[in-house]
Amino acid sequence: MKNFFSVADAENLETLVQDALALKANPYAHETLGKHRTLGLVFLNPSLRTRLSTQKAATNLGMTVMVMNMDKDGWALETQDGVVMNGTTVEHIREAAAVMGEYCDILGLRSFPSLKDKEADYTEDLFKKFVKYCGVPVVSLESATRHPLQSLTDLITITEYKKVAKPKVVLAWAPHVKALPQAVPNSFSEWMCAAQKDGMVDFTIAHPEGYELSTEFTDGATISHDLEGSLADADFVYVKNWSSFNDYGKVYPVEENWMMDNQKLALTNDAKVMHCLPVRRDLELSSQILDGPNSLVIKEASNRVLAAQVVLKNILEKLE
Ligand code: CP
């Protein structure tokens, strides 16, 4: 593994998941692998779980960690080439990324989409430039279109808690008050479709009309506009809001009740309920579920350390 950006960077899903679960049993098995290696975590947007779990994972491997809150503490970044920088931007990504690459052996980058410029977001313009100019391996801490550390965590968590060999997993759209990116559902779908091809899950996406994800991420998924029908026999329900991909970044009003609650949970096979967090209580997901025995959200967040640690371990093993 050189960079970690999408499911394509995982050579073998089953092996990666089992390696991660082995780290749960013995978190300090590789505590000197990262000695004298530095991880730089660069945030252009807020984070709780990604920030702390990746720091903990790197520390478990013996790495030194530096965190740069670029949005608050860095110079305003220019990302376009060929512009005269006589406006508000102070430093070009060419120099900023290259300098951070001088200080670090591995870099992590979080950079959300604009939700305004679909082409720039979906070509991952900023992320690709950062990789190009920094010159060291890069781990996505969530990019414009994907959140691979979250999705790997989700596959680890499903594998850990499944009661049948091939569980039915439903990605269920949920309401929200804001326009949210498609990165988490794109990425979850991409990983679940790959896991389905490997015989690990049976995958369905349920969303209202108008909330179709890009087909780039949904190859092989069963897609439905019927939430209650989709929930039948579900072993895992993954709740998430996202804004429209086709009418980019738009939020359509939805008349029906799409919030996951105990009434809907009763339609499932006593499903475990997942959410990447942060979650809006009693808007996306009911408090009854979040505080009840079917919620996996805290265990899922805990497993973020395993995903980050197995990815960093893979990259460290390839460093010269
Ligand atoms: N799920 C997740 O990525 O959480 P943060 O945004 O808090 O890092």
Side-chain angles (χ1 to χ4, degrees), residues 43 46-52 110 112 141-142 147 150 184 275-278 304:
F43 288 91
S47 166
L48 186 160
R49 280 143 290 271
T50 306
R51 176 189 304 268
L52 296 183
R110 168 163 284 201
F112 287 172
L141 306 175
E142 186 170 342
H147 194 354
Q150 181 66 53
V184 169
H275 189 289
C276 63
L277 304 179
R304 288 292 305 267

Side-chain angles (χ1 to χ4, degrees), residues 11 14 20 48 62 66 89 109 128 136 149 151-152 171-172 182 194 198 207 241 265 288 294 306-307:
E11 263 177 42
E14 188 77 55
L48 186 160
M66 299 193 295
T89 56
L109 176 67
K128 283 182 183 159
V136 297
L149 285 176
S151 309
L152 172 56
L171 168 60
Q182 298 97 29
D198 290 355
H207 62 73
N241 171 268
L265 190 60
Q288 275 185 321
N294 291 64
L306 302 182

Side-chain angles (χ1 to χ4, degrees), residues 34-315:
K35 192 175 175 195
H36 299 158
R37 297 288 192 185
T38 301
L39 173 69
L41 299 178
V42 181
F43 288 91
L44 301 180
N45 311 95
S47 166
L48 186 160
R49 280 143 290 271
T50 306
R51 176 189 304 268
L52 296 183
S53 63
T54 311
Q55 285 188 59
K56 184 169 170 69
T59 306
N60 288 351
L61 293 166
M63 298 185 83
T64 300
V65 187
M66 299 193 295
V67 180
M68 181 74 197
N69 298 315
M70 204 71 186
D71 53 338
K72 298 181 188 73
D73 303 328
W75 299 110
L77 263 192
E78 179 57 61
T79 60
Q80 300 307 310
D81 285 322
V83 294
V84 177
M85 287 172 56
N86 58 1
T88 53
T89 56
V90 178
E91 179 156 37
H92 202 279
I93 191 168
R94 284 176 180 254
E95 285 83 41
V99 168
M100 289 190 272
E102 292 292 316
Y103 303 148
C104 299
D105 300 283
I106 303 174
L107 281 162
L109 176 67
R110 168 163 284 201
S111 127
F112 287 172
S114 66
L115 288 183
K116 292 186 179 82
D117 184 342
K118 186 177 188 173
E119 198 197 326
D121 288 348
Y122 270 71
T123 54
E124 293 283 5
D125 184 55
L126 195 150
F127 197 91
K128 283 182 183 159
K129 281 178 176 155
F130 190 83
V131 170
K132 182 175 172 186
Y133 299 129
C134 76
V136 297
V138 178
V139 175
S140 167
L141 306 175
E142 186 170 342
S143 70
T145 65
R146 291 174 172 89
H147 194 354
L149 285 176
Q150 181 66 53
S151 309
L152 172 56
T153 299
D154 298 330
L155 185 58
I156 293 166
T157 307
I158 288 167
T159 304
E160 187 180 9
Y161 289 95
K162 70 181 181 182
K163 291 185 189 143
V164 293
K166 192 177 173 188
K168 178 176 176 182
V169 178
V170 178
L171 168 60
W173 184 92
H176 207 280
V177 289
K178 285 175 63 181
L180 296 191
Q182 298 97 29
V184 169
N186 280 346
S187 194
F188 184 75
S189 179
E190 176 175 69
W191 282 73
M192 287 301 122
C193 288
Q196 183 168 253
K197 282 197 185 102
D198 290 355
M200 296 166 79
V201 298
D202 177 4
F203 182 49
T204 295
I205 305 172
H207 62 73
E209 285 189 50
Y211 286 96
E212 291 73 21
L213 294 170
S214 164
T215 53
E216 181 188 349
F217 301 96
T218 60
D219 183 31
T222 300
I223 299 174
S224 170
H225 297 145
D226 173 12
L227 176 59
E228 299 198 349
S230 299
L231 291 174
D233 301 324
D235 299 297
F236 293 90
V237 182
Y238 195 91
V239 178
K240 187 72 186 85
N241 171 268
W242 62 89
S243 60
S244 173
F245 167 72
N246 289 326
D247 196 1
Y248 194 55
K250 292 285 180 306
V251 175
Y252 298 117
V254 174
E255 297 298 319
E256 306 84 48
N257 175 13
W258 278 74
M259 184 183 78
M260 193 66 199
D261 54 20
N262 274 351
Q263 222 177 335
K264 295 190 186 72
L265 190 60
L267 303 171
T268 69
N269 184 27
D270 195 24
K272 295 294 183 195
V273 179
M274 302 173 69
H275 189 289
C276 63
L277 304 179
V279 64
R280 299 255 184 162
R281 281 176 167 253
D282 298 311
L283 177 68
E284 292 177 83
L285 190 46
S286 74
S287 293
Q288 275 185 321
I289 290 186
L290 282 165
D291 299 333
N294 291 64
S295 172
L296 276 187
V297 299
I298 304 301
K299 293 186 167 72
E300 185 183 353
S302 171
N303 281 348
R304 288 292 305 267
V305 178
L306 302 182
Q309 195 166 332
V310 80
V311 165
L312 290 172
K313 175 177 163 294
N314 266 277
I315 295 174

